Amino acid sequence: MNIEHLYDVKLTWLNGRLGKLNSPELTDEMIVATPPEFPNGVEKIWSPEHLFTAAVNSCLMTTF
């Protein structure tokens, strides 16, 4: 059985290290940025590293 899963996500650059994530499938938008540990990083904003870790954690959680 071949099952295809597609997720439509759009990233719009705002300025500097900030971007906006959204999807026509979802109601919320999310501001993302480089984490503060990197040059010109931004504090208190979701980073790709946060999102990756959250994806792994939520996959594990929904498995059980």
Side-chain angles (χ1 to χ4, degrees):
M1 176 189 290
N2 185 13
I3 299 174
E4 186 173 359
H5 301 278
L6 301 174
Y7 303 93
D8 188 6
V9 176
K10 180 180 177 184
L11 174 64
T12 304
W13 177 68
L14 298 175
N15 62 48
R17 300 289 184 155
L18 292 172
K20 178 176 65 173
L21 284 173
N22 62 12
S23 173
E25 303 161 0
L26 304 170
T27 56
D28 295 332
E29 296 181 337
M30 179 180 286
I31 302 299
V32 295
T34 305
E37 295 81 14
F38 290 79
N40 301 315
V42 182
E43 291 185 1
K44 311 253 187 240
I45 301 286
W46 283 89
S47 70
E49 290 78 6
H50 287 108
L51 296 171
F52 177 73
T53 305
V56 172
N57 279 318
S58 61
C59 284
L60 181 62
M61 180 203 70
T62 57
T63 300
F64 301 104

